[in-house]
Amino acid sequence: MVQWAQFEQEEPEFAAEVRKRFTAARHHVLATLRADGSPRVSGTEVDFQHGHVQFGSMLGARKAQDLRRDGRCAIHANSGDGSMAEPDAKISGIATEVDDPAAKEPMQSPDGEPMDYHLFRLDLTEAVLTKPEGNLLVIRSWRPGKGIRRFTRT
């Protein structure tokens, strides 16, 4: 597992492509594991701060409970208009809750009141970009210390 900053150091161009997909839209899909091991998908927003991939959750939300129990997760970037003109991006790893209040940006509710929340940082185990090229589906996958693998499917 590595922090985002290390991913950027190992594979700067690939990391930039992945980041571009996550910053192109605000809302993405987070997959977590329920207590019984079955999957749960939830919406989330992703932020890149201080060399980390970060995302939040409302206090007490099911996805936060999932991650506190088992940090394994994956995030699928919003695929936009569905044209696949840009690659489809996914990252996965282990999420850890940030418990330092000074590390959390202050948030406000719609009525202007201060709001507390869960903040998680993701240590990466994989990043994947997928894009159709002609009659092929081209998949590029990165794992820490293993570089980028490229393979195709028809």
Side-chain angles (χ1 to χ4, degrees), residues 52-135:
H52 298 281
V53 177
Q54 303 183 147
F55 57 97
S57 170
M58 292 174 25
L59 285 180
R62 296 286 187 188
K63 64 184 170 186
Q65 293 173 17
D66 291 345
L67 292 168
R68 286 175 137 187
R69 184 185 57 262
D70 184 339
R72 293 177 296 168
C73 65
I75 307 173
H76 185 201
N78 186 310
S79 56
D81 64 6
S83 70
M84 293 295 288
E86 295 292 327
D88 188 51
K90 297 177 278 286
I91 54 177
S92 58
I94 309 292
T96 305
E97 188 165 10
V98 176
D99 54 9
D100 177 7
K104 292 167 59 171
E105 298 287 326
M107 290 188 72
Q108 290 185 344
S109 68
D111 61 4
E113 292 296 314
M115 195 169 82
D116 196 11
Y117 62 100
H118 298 285
L119 177 66
F120 294 92
R121 288 184 175 155
L122 183 66
D123 287 331
L124 298 170
T125 57
E126 184 176 40
V128 178
L129 289 171
T130 305
K131 185 175 182 185
E133 292 181 12
N135 293 330

Side-chain angles (χ1 to χ4, degrees), residues 84 130-139 151-154:
M84 293 295 288
T130 305
K131 185 175 182 185
E133 292 181 12
N135 293 330
L136 295 176
L137 186 63
V138 177
I139 301 137
F151 52 100
T152 60
R153 294 195 179 150
T154 56

